[in-house]
Amino acid sequence: ADCQHCITLVENTAKATDVVLGRYILDHVTKGTSYVRLRTIDNIPCGKDLFYTLCQKFFWLLSNEKGV
C-alpha cells in the first residue's frame, strides 16, 4: 500500500476508536506523546486507564483493517 493510504488508515482508525479522544490516540501512536503530556499540556478529557484501553482498541481495530 502507498504511504497516503497508510496515513489515512491510521487517521480513520483513530477516529473510529473514539470520536472525542481519537486525536489524542493519533498523537500517542504516531508521535509517541505520553499520557502525562497529553494530560498536563493538551488537557485530554479522560483518565489514564481509559486512554490505554482505547489505545488497545485502536491497535485491535487497525489489525482487523489490515487483515493481520
Side-chain angles (χ1 to χ4, degrees):
D2 64 280
C3 290
Q4 188 55 53
H5 170 75
C6 294
I7 292 167
T8 302
L9 179 63
V10 169
E11 290 172 344
N12 289 344
T13 302
K15 288 178 199 165
T17 302
D18 190 275
V19 176
V20 174
L21 301 173
R23 68 183 188 96
Y24 300 101
I25 293 166
L26 191 60
D27 266 2
H28 176 70
V29 301
T30 61
K31 299 175 188 169
T33 307
S34 69
Y35 174 80
V36 172
R37 179 179 171 86
L38 291 172
R39 185 78 181 144
T40 57
I41 297 182
D42 300 324
N43 293 318
I44 189 172
C46 74
K48 192 174 193 176
D49 289 346
L50 176 59
F51 177 71
Y52 285 112
T53 297
L54 289 172
C55 286
Q56 288 178 318
K57 179 182 175 184
F58 166 83
F59 285 112
W60 183 82
L61 289 171
L62 186 63
S63 69
N64 283 349
E65 284 296 317
K66 290 172 64 180
V68 176

